[in-house]
């Protein structure tokens, strides 16, 4: 679901023309899965629990359930409520969690800083906060167990989305290909459908590394053709077979259905709920389009087309009680157009599968940013369209699991039971998180959030309970996958937090760093040394281990912290926080690089050159600031309980100016890129040096003129010239990337569960997953790894 067609447009999303264009483009990305549900809903519903009788009460009851489910959940819940709970235009489970974390202190992310709240994308809604909502907020913040419970809920939804990524391609393609049963003998059909389905799935996954943008322009026309096709078939069947089928839309038929079928009817709800599979995609892909575009496409095209399709099938079945084949979509298709419909259905199922596969890649990448998933290699498949990614390991695992599901289940019933449970779990998670957003972010009375939770939650719980009864008939699969994935995520997240705490307690003082010199046999060698660490303050223990074993370090030393912030995107101009570590002459710096959970991490070449450019910007800025105040002194950190190395960090933007003076002050209503005094959660006395108002603020931008002769002509101080020349010379000498190669073990006396999780689980994942050098795309020739043992 990372096909960001909307982001490639330069026009405003507010115009009707743009909204209609985005609505058309969203068809191929958002609605591929939802639009193919008529292929298998009736077939799954009438699989075993209920029978289609002469009275038509069953088929009318199922149609009534389908109509009201489509109306209440995708239309009312998602289109009119959930889509408004966006995070700077982004949607999905992580967007809701990000919103909640910014409005209440419930995040479990390490290395948080007060400076992160100065980001322009870290915006909060500011209606008057009601006492009742503030009480809920205080209660959440007070109980740490609720923070873990909230993260667990998010991870459960994440795991079920990944499970849906396994099940949706299998059931969609299998249901489309099963149309061959009407054109083949039963013997040939048995041996043809499975191999053809597996072949299509292998081709689908094998083409992922090319990137969906190469074939993406075909997606919208295919889904549009499919929607028009099922609409036309629905109208034909209604007019030709039963023009009065519209009466079944009355809720009365749901009551009659349950009264007649009783337990069997309740259990059959596990098939009916498949009509809303793919609804979550409307919210997950919100950032790629717009609220108006998704609302328009669903309300005026997708929703009517699906209703007509289901009514048409019901109209046909109401007049055909003794069909020679099982109830399926294709029996209601006239024989003269059956082959063209089959081809379009297969293409539409491939498009729907592609959307969920891309969405799985995206949500795993977001899980990595939260430190909740082992490191995997993320490849960006498009330079123009932001967010299109490909993860090789996940791609092949999904392919193997999809083929295993197809061969293992071999029918729509078991696949539908598994898919239904995964879908309803994700929807329940979204409903729960949206209820918190209503209270904490929108500051509505808790009674409104409770009504939302009870109304939509009760509908989803009804379907969820029906799915759960099919545990032995396929529903066990998403539960098993979720347990497996959540175990991995919790083990990884727990060990990551413990490693960070170990780093915090074992960091080295600035005095130790400044004492390193020729008197101790320590040499400074040419080049830039980039020391990667999770710490936002202090000298990491892996650097002390490096110097102890190799008594030399680089002439220019940069402590780099690449961290995630609970926002979808960090503007490039606000990405780098740069400061000094020690005096000017030491040539040591700290650079904190901030990314949002949907940001694209840079390649190492562009990152290296960008980092050097930002350091040069900072040197110029710091030189100018030192003309007015003391640059980086111990007084800057005197208010902090951190080491005295913690000097001011400046937000260095990417806008350059070649004019003189080397800085510019302009009036702006946007949040300012200014110097901030940074703080970790443990140093609450530090403050951001920026007015918290949204009135006119001062923006300070800095740039380096590449022409050194011009710098001389402007009368630049010799000290500044020397520092810039040292930086340039170090860049030309080469860059070394210093990373920790960690081994983690549990403390003696730890519980058996902790020893199993750390000594076996985490270390197994660490050894068999990508290393930090691969994730950061560090060239092997420039890599220096430092062995570290963490006792947690």
């Amino acid at each position: 679901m990372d096909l960001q067609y909307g982001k490639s447009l330069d026009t405003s999303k507010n115009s009707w023309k743009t909204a209609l264009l985005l609505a058309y483009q969203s068809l191929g990305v958002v609605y591929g899965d939802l639009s193919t549900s008529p292929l298998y809903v009736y077939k799954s519903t009438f699989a075993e629990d209920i029978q289609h009788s002469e009275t038509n009460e069953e088929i009318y009851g199922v149609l009534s359930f389908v109509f009201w489910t489509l109306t209440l959940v995708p239309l009312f819940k998602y289109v009119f409520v959930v889509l408004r709970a966006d995070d700077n235009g982004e949607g999905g489970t992580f967007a809701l969690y990000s919103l909640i974390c910014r409005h209440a202190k419930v995040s479990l992310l390490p290395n948080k800083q007060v400076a992160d709240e100065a980001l322009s994308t870290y915006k909060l809604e500011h209606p008057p906060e009601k006492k009742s909502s503030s009480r809920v907020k205080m209660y959440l913040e007070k109980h740490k167990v609720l923070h873990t419970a909230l993260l667990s809920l998010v991870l459960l939804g994440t795991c079920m989305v990944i499970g849906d990524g396994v099940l949706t391609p299998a059931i969609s393609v299998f249901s489309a290909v099963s149309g061959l049963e009407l054109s083949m003998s039963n013997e040939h059909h048995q041996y043809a459908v499975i191999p053809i389905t597996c072949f299509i799935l292998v081709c689908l996954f094998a083409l992922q590394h090319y990137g969906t943008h190469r074939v993406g322009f075909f997606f919208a026309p295919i889904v549009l053709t499919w929607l028009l096709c099922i609409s036309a078939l629905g109208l034909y069947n209604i007019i030709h077979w039963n023009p009065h089928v519209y009466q079944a839309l009355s809720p009365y038929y749901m009551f009659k259905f349950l009264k007649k079928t009783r337990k069997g009817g309740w259990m059959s709800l596990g098939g009916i709920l498949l009509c809303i599979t793919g609804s979550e995609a409307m919210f997950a892909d919100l950032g790629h389009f717009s609220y108006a575009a998704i609302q328009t496409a669903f309300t005026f095209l997708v929703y009517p087309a699906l209703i007509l399709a289901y009514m048409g099938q019901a109209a046909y079945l109401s007049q055909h009680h003794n069909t020679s084949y099982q109830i399926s979509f294709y029996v209601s298709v006239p024989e003269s157009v059956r082959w063209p419909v089959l081809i379009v259905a297969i293409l539409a199922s491939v498009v729907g599968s592609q959307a969920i596969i891309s969405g799985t890649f995206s949500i795993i990448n977001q899980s990595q940013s939260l430190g909740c998933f082992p490191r995997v290699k993320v490849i960006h498949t498009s330079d123009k369209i932001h967010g299109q990614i490909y993860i090789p390991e996940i791609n092949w695992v999904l392919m193997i699991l999809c083929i295993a599901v197809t061969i293992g289940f071999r029918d729509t019933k078991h696949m539908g039971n598994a898919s239904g449970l995964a879908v309803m779990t994700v929807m329940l998670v979204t409903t729960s998180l949206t209820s918190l957003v209503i209270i904490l972010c929108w500051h509505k009375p808790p009674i409104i959030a409770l009504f939302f939770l009870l109304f939509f939650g009760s509908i989803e719980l009804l379907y969820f309970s029906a799915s759960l009864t099919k545990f032995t008939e396929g529903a066990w699969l998403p539960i098993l996958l979720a347990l497996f994935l959540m175990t991995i995520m919790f083990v990884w997240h727990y060990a990551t937090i413990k490693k960070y705490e170990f780093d915090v307690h074992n960091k080295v003082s600035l005095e130790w760093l400044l004492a390193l010199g020729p008197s101790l046999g320590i040499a400074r060698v040419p080049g830039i040394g980039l020391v990667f660490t999770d710490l936002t303050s202090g000298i990491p223990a892996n650097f002390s281990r490096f110097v102890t074993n190799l008594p030399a370090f680089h002439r220019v030393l940069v402590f780099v912290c690449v961290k995630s912030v609970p926002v979808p995107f960090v503007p490039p101009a606000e990405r780098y926080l740069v400061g000094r570590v020690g005096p000017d002459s030491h040539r040591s710096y700290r650079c904190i690089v901030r990314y949002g959970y949907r940001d694209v991490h840079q390649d190492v070449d562009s990152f290296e050159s960008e980092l050097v450019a930002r350091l040069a910007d900072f040197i110029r800025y710091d030189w100018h600031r030192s003309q007015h105040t003391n640059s980086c002194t111990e007084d800057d950190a005197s208010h902090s309980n951190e080491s005295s190395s913690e000097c001011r960090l400046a937000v260095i933007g990417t806008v350059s100016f070649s004019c003189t003076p080397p800085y510019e002050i302009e009036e702006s209503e946007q949040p300012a890129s200014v110097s901030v005094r940074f703080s970790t959660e443990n140093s609450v006395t530090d403050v951001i040096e920026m007015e918290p108002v949204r009135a006119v603020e001062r923006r300070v931008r800095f740039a380096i003129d590449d022409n050194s002769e011009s710098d001389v002509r402007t009368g630049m101080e010799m000290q500044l010239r020397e520092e810039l020349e040292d930086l340039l010379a170090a860049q030309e000498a080469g860059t070394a990337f210093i990373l920790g190669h960690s081994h983690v073990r549990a403390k003696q006396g730890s519980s058996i569960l902790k020893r199993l999780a750390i000594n076996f689980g985490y270390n197994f994942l660490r050894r068999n997953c990508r290393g930090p050098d691969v994730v950061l795309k560090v060239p092997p020739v420039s890599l220096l790894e430092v062995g570290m043992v963490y006792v947690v």
Side-chain angles (χ1 to χ4, degrees):
M1 302 177 198
D2 258 293
L3 315 178
Q4 195 161 354
Y5 297 98
K7 296 293 184 188
S8 61
L9 297 176
D10 296 327
T11 54
S12 171
K13 286 185 179 180
N14 295 326
S15 69
W16 274 106
K17 183 178 179 181
T18 304
L20 290 175
L21 180 60
L22 289 173
Y24 167 73
Q25 292 173 334
S26 71
L27 293 176
V29 181
V30 179
Y31 300 108
D33 186 13
L34 186 61
S35 65
T36 54
S37 56
L39 287 170
Y40 45 79
V41 168
Y42 284 137
K43 188 171 184 177
S44 298
T45 304
F46 288 94
E48 273 186 12
D49 302 306
I50 56 174
Q51 300 295 325
H52 179 38
S53 66
E54 297 282 345
T55 62
N56 287 328
E57 288 182 353
E58 293 85 0
I59 191 65
Y60 287 167
V62 170
L63 174 59
S64 184
F65 264 106
V66 167
F67 171 76
W68 286 105
T69 303
L70 276 171
T71 303
L72 292 175
V73 178
L75 187 62
F76 288 170
K77 175 189 165 184
Y78 279 94
V79 170
F80 292 115
V81 181
V82 176
L83 286 182
R84 298 183 183 276
D86 65 293
D87 180 15
N88 291 291
E90 291 295 323
T93 306
F94 281 98
L96 293 172
Y97 183 65
S98 173
L99 270 177
I100 294 168
C101 287
R102 293 210 303 276
H103 287 80
K105 296 177 181 178
V106 295
S107 175
L108 294 178
L109 276 175
N111 58 36
K112 290 175 286 188
Q113 296 172 269
V114 176
D116 298 335
E117 299 178 13
L119 289 167
S120 58
T121 49
Y122 202 104
K123 62 182 181 181
L124 306 177
E125 298 179 28
H126 291 287
E129 191 166 339
K130 295 182 169 56
K131 289 184 179 180
S132 53
S133 62
S134 62
R135 283 199 297 268
V136 173
K137 176 182 174 182
M138 290 172 60
Y139 186 80
L140 277 175
E141 293 177 344
K142 181 180 178 181
H143 295 83
K144 297 293 182 183
V145 68
L146 294 179
H147 303 180
T148 306
L150 185 62
L151 180 64
S152 304
L153 190 66
V154 172
L155 294 184
L156 176 63
T158 301
C159 294
M160 285 300 181
V161 169
I162 298 171
D164 200 23
V166 173
L167 296 163
T168 293
I171 189 173
S172 297
V173 177
F174 181 85
S175 300
V177 175
S178 65
L180 293 171
E181 66 184 348
L182 300 181
S183 304
M184 290 183 172
S185 64
N186 192 38
E187 293 179 359
H188 292 138
H189 168 253
Q190 283 183 340
Y191 296 107
V193 171
I194 299 295
I196 292 173
T197 301
C198 291
F199 174 76
I200 292 173
L201 289 173
V202 169
C203 292
L204 175 64
F205 284 99
L207 294 173
Q208 291 298 314
H209 69 281
Y210 288 110
T212 49
H213 65 285
R214 299 182 187 273
V215 290
F217 60 94
F218 286 122
F219 286 3
I222 288 173
V223 176
L224 179 60
T225 303
W226 170 249
L227 288 170
L228 294 176
C229 177
I230 60 176
S231 301
L233 289 171
L235 277 173
Y236 169 79
N237 285 322
I238 292 169
I239 295 170
H240 190 264
W241 296 110
N242 188 352
H244 301 288
V245 73
Y246 67 88
Q247 295 175 353
L249 302 182
S250 168
Y252 172 69
Y253 284 91
M254 290 192 290
F255 171 75
K256 286 184 67 177
F257 170 78
L258 292 175
K259 183 179 179 181
K260 179 179 180 180
T261 56
R262 298 184 181 275
K263 183 180 177 182
W266 169 62
M267 294 177 69
S268 70
L269 295 178
I272 295 173
L273 69 86
L274 296 177
C275 69
I276 53 177
T277 57
S279 299
E280 187 73 22
M282 288 192 290
F283 185 46
D285 290 313
L286 179 62
H288 301 162
F289 303 99
S290 69
Y291 173 75
I294 292 178
Q295 185 183 48
T296 302
F298 182 80
T299 307
F300 297 105
L301 179 59
V302 179
Y303 176 74
L306 290 174
I307 297 300
L308 285 174
Y310 288 115
M311 288 177 65
Q313 288 186 64
Y316 177 87
L317 293 172
S318 67
Q319 303 299 321
H320 297 79
H321 304 95
N322 298 311
T323 55
S324 56
Y325 294 95
Q326 249 186 331
I327 290 177
S328 72
F329 169 78
Y330 291 101
V331 297
S332 64
V333 178
E335 192 171 350
S336 57
V337 296
R338 194 165 286 162
W339 277 103
V341 170
L342 175 65
I343 294 170
V344 176
I346 291 174
L347 291 174
S349 68
V350 169
V351 171
S353 303
Q354 176 61 65
I356 193 67
I357 292 168
S358 299
T360 304
F361 292 157
S362 176
I363 204 162
I364 287 176
N365 188 41
Q366 293 173 31
S367 300
Q368 277 193 120
S369 71
L370 281 178
C372 294
F373 200 86
R375 290 181 291 261
V376 290
K377 185 178 182 181
V378 178
I379 299 172
H380 302 281
T381 58
S382 174
D383 295 329
K384 297 180 180 178
I385 304 174
H386 180 89
Q388 285 194 11
I389 59 174
Y390 166 68
I391 304 177
E393 299 97 321
I394 302 301
N395 183 65
W396 301 122
V397 170
L398 285 178
M399 185 191 77
I400 293 169
L401 290 175
C402 276
I403 293 173
V405 166
T406 304
I407 296 174
F409 285 159
R410 291 175 174 264
D411 64 9
T412 309
K413 172 192 167 186
H414 289 81
M415 294 182 196
N417 293 337
S419 180
L421 186 68
V423 167
M424 293 319 303
T425 306
V426 175
M427 289 189 172
L428 280 168
V429 169
T430 300
T431 302
S432 304
L433 294 177
T434 305
S435 301
L436 285 176
V437 168
I438 291 172
I439 298 174
L440 299 175
C441 308
W442 297 350
H443 303 304
K444 301 295 183 183
I447 190 66
I448 295 178
L450 184 63
F451 174 78
F452 176 85
L453 180 64
L454 291 178
F455 181 76
F456 292 107
S458 59
I459 296 171
E460 291 158 0
L461 275 175
L462 177 66
Y463 283 118
F464 180 79
S465 63
S467 295
L468 210 55
T469 60
K470 303 296 182 71
F471 180 83
T472 58
E473 300 174 19
W476 57 268
L477 181 60
I479 295 175
L480 182 65
L481 280 174
L483 285 174
F484 178 72
L485 288 169
M486 284 194 72
T487 302
I488 290 176
M489 288 181 170
F490 268 115
V491 166
W492 190 267
H493 181 73
Y494 177 77
T496 301
I497 295 295
K498 290 298 179 183
K499 280 179 60 182
Y500 176 75
E501 291 174 355
F502 182 91
D503 282 336
V504 170
H505 290 121
N506 291 275
K507 61 185 178 182
V508 186
S509 66
L510 173 65
E511 289 73 19
W512 175 88
L513 177 66
L514 298 180
L516 298 176
S519 60
L520 297 178
I522 306 294
R524 300 291 293 267
V525 297
I528 299 177
L530 300 182
V531 183
F532 284 86
T533 174
D534 291 330
L535 298 177
T536 55
S537 63
I539 312 300
N542 65 345
F543 179 71
S544 65
R545 180 69 59 87
F546 171 76
V547 176
T548 302
N549 289 276
L550 182 67
F553 59 95
H554 297 82
R555 186 70 187 94
V556 174
L557 195 62
V558 187
F559 296 97
V560 180
C561 173
V562 179
K563 58 175 285 188
S564 294
V565 185
V567 295
F569 303 102
V570 174
E574 302 174 42
R575 177 156 293 150
Y576 290 87
L577 272 173
V578 187
R580 290 190 186 278
V581 178
D584 303 354
S585 59
H586 202 268
R587 302 295 191 259
S588 296
Y589 309 92
R590 181 177 307 283
C591 181
I592 298 172
V593 189
R594 302 176 291 184
Y595 287 100
Y597 57 83
R598 291 190 67 91
D599 264 326
V600 178
H601 288 237
Q602 295 164 289
D603 292 329
V604 68
D605 293 335
S606 61
F607 173 74
E608 182 183 344
S609 57
E610 181 81 6
L611 180 62
V612 172
R614 300 288 74 78
L615 285 175
D617 289 353
F618 170 76
I619 292 168
R620 174 70 64 84
Y621 157 64
D622 194 58
W623 170 82
H624 173 76
R625 184 178 62 182
S626 66
Q627 306 304 305
H628 305 284
T629 60
N630 292 329
S631 175
C632 180
T633 66
E634 292 187 6
D635 292 337
D636 289 326
S638 60
H639 301 290
S640 173
N641 59 6
E642 298 290 339
S643 167
S644 60
S645 63
E646 303 317 320
C647 304
R648 298 184 183 189
L649 296 179
V651 179
I652 303 297
T654 57
V655 183
S656 352
F657 297 90
S658 57
C659 58
T660 304
Y663 61 93
E664 177 175 328
I665 298 176
E666 67 174 8
E667 301 300 321
S668 171
E669 293 186 357
Q670 300 300 321
S673 292
V674 299
S675 170
V676 299
R677 185 192 303 273
F678 100 132
S679 166
T680 62
E681 285 204 310
N682 295 325
S683 55
V684 295
T685 55
D686 288 351
V687 295
I688 301 177
E689 295 180 338
M690 185 167 67
E691 291 294 329
V693 296
R694 289 291 173 183
V696 175
E697 296 174 339
R698 301 179 69 182
R699 179 185 292 273
V700 185
R701 293 173 177 162
F702 309 93
I704 293 301
D705 193 336
D706 294 332
N707 191 333
S708 59
E709 294 182 3
S710 174
D711 291 341
V712 175
R713 286 195 300 268
T714 58
M716 181 181 291
E717 293 288 337
M718 186 63 67
Q719 184 180 359
L720 174 61
R721 285 187 56 195
E722 288 179 1
E723 190 168 1
L724 290 173
E725 287 169 358
D726 285 349
L727 180 63
L728 180 61
Q731 184 184 19
E732 293 174 349
T735 302
F737 297 82
I738 304 171
L739 278 74
H741 185 81
S742 59
H743 176 76
V744 185
R745 69 167 186 260
K747 294 177 182 177
Q748 288 197 3
S750 300
S751 64
I752 296 176
L753 188 62
K754 182 177 178 179
R755 290 204 301 270
L756 284 173
I758 298 295
N759 297 347
F760 296 98
Y762 178 78
N763 284 311
F764 175 81
L765 292 172
R766 181 188 55 80
R767 287 193 302 268
N768 291 278
C769 294
R770 303 281 186 173
D773 56 321
V774 177
V775 176
L776 295 168
K777 302 172 185 175
V778 175
V781 294
S782 303
L783 176 63
L784 293 173
E785 286 193 299
V786 182
M788 284 288 296
V789 177
Y790 289 84
V791 182
V792 298

